[in-house]
Amino acid sequence: MFIVTIIYFLIGLLASTIGAIAGLGGGIIIKPVLDGIGTYDVATIGILSAATVFSMASVSLLKAARSGMKIQGKSSFLLAIGSISGGIIGKYLFAFLISSMDNQKMITVIQASILAILMFIIFLFVRHRERIRTYELKNELVIFLVGFILGTVASFLGIGGGPLNMAILAFAFSMNVRESAINSIFIIFFSQLSSLAMTAFTTGFAIYDLSMLGYMVAGGVIGGFIGSSFISKISNRQIDRIFIFSLMGIILLNVYNIIRNLM
């Protein structure tokens, strides 16, 4: 039992550290890792991931505020509101998928396939970003709708939205990698808060096996502190490399989960 708790603590710690540095959030790592371990069902994994990522985002934002890092207030706030709204829809879509399919493995395959494709598209965008025209959106409705789509997809996949946020912030608002990272964490904070609140007011938490939650949240808090400390000390190029290598690892993890659950 001790070894198991250490493993789950380390998952929360490592995912949150990388997530805080690169703006990934951590959920995009936690989700496929827990799918690969196979101990919990997809709904429970969503709760464990959301709580861990929320704790990481809380610590990261506090640390960023103290170090003087700024959020692009209006745009990120509108994206966050849109993400919260979309997150509600994504949650319902996920609940519908679970209720309409008895095969948990097939649900994992569907999510892993969508994740792998999305991560590959984002990988290509990051690798060729200098050749791609970026924008600076000003229309409030369009910004809200972008956040809505991000929230829907992230909630349905149970990932928190980190890489999607990073890519959209770079593409739609011409943010550099450091600006994208902190603004991504800001959006993730609200999206995960709404996800947890929605669960609390609908099904509640009693139906889930959350025995490892405390260890993962502890890892999320420490990881958020470590990651947010590093982000102010390393260059944009280094953050970019961490982001790219993380994407490659996430793609491989999801391909493994697809093959594992189809065999």
Side-chain angles (χ1 to χ4, degrees):
M1 185 65 181
F2 176 73
I3 295 175
V4 173
T5 59
I6 291 298
I7 290 172
Y8 279 91
F9 169 77
L10 289 175
I11 291 171
L13 175 66
L14 295 174
S16 297
T17 301
I18 295 170
I21 293 173
L24 293 169
I28 190 68
I29 300 172
I30 293 171
K31 162 69 176 167
V33 169
L34 294 188
D35 279 341
I37 293 174
T39 304
Y40 296 107
D41 59 55
V42 289
T44 302
I45 289 171
I47 300 298
L48 291 171
S49 175
T52 306
V53 172
F54 176 72
S55 65
M56 178 279 297
S58 302
V59 173
S60 296
L61 288 175
L62 286 171
K63 195 83 169 52
R66 289 178 180 177
S67 65
M69 295 182 69
K70 294 182 179 180
I71 307 294
Q72 276 203 11
K74 189 175 182 180
S75 296
S76 289
F77 184 74
L78 284 170
L79 284 171
I81 297 300
S83 181
I84 291 170
S85 305
I88 295 171
I89 302 301
K91 198 86 170 175
Y92 277 116
L93 289 174
F94 179 64
F96 174 77
L97 181 65
I98 291 178
S99 64
S100 61
M101 293 184 68
D102 294 327
N103 191 335
Q104 289 281 319
K105 287 188 174 182
M106 190 51 61
I107 294 173
T108 300
V109 168
I110 292 170
Q111 288 185 313
S113 299
I114 296 172
L115 268 175
I117 293 168
L118 283 175
M119 294 308 103
F120 183 68
I121 293 171
I122 293 170
F123 174 79
L124 291 177
F125 168 75
V126 173
R127 293 292 293 176
H128 302 285
R129 181 166 45 199
E130 293 179 0
R131 305 177 193 171
I132 299 173
R133 180 185 174 187
T134 59
Y135 300 85
E136 292 187 19
L137 294 182
K138 301 294 183 183
N139 187 291
E140 294 180 1
L141 178 60
V142 173
I143 295 172
F144 173 84
L145 289 174
V146 169
F148 182 85
I149 294 169
L150 285 174
T152 302
V153 174
S155 180
F156 176 75
L157 297 176
I159 60 171
L164 292 173
N165 294 344
M166 290 284 288
I168 292 300
L169 288 168
F171 177 72
F173 301 97
S174 298
M175 292 187 191
N176 63 40
V177 67
R178 190 184 302 275
E179 291 170 333
S180 296
I182 189 60
N183 282 275
S184 173
I185 297 296
F186 177 78
I187 296 166
I188 288 167
F189 171 84
F190 285 102
S191 66
Q192 296 309 289
L193 175 61
S194 67
S195 176
L196 292 170
M198 187 176 174
T199 300
F201 289 112
T202 52
T203 61
F205 297 102
I207 62 173
Y208 302 102
D209 177 7
L210 302 178
S211 55
M212 292 294 116
L213 179 62
Y215 304 103
M216 294 192 69
V217 167
V221 170
I222 298 171
F225 182 82
I226 295 172
S228 56
S229 298
F230 268 105
I231 196 172
S232 60
K233 299 175 182 177
I234 60 179
S235 67
N236 285 343
R237 184 180 177 86
Q238 289 171 315
I239 296 172
D240 211 23
R241 285 180 177 175
I242 292 170
F243 184 76
I244 290 171
F245 282 120
S246 298
L247 280 181
M248 292 170 64
I250 292 163
I251 292 169
L252 292 175
L253 264 174
N254 281 290
V255 170
Y256 166 77
N257 286 331
I258 293 167
I259 295 171
R260 175 177 173 271
N261 285 281
L262 286 176
M263 291 179 66

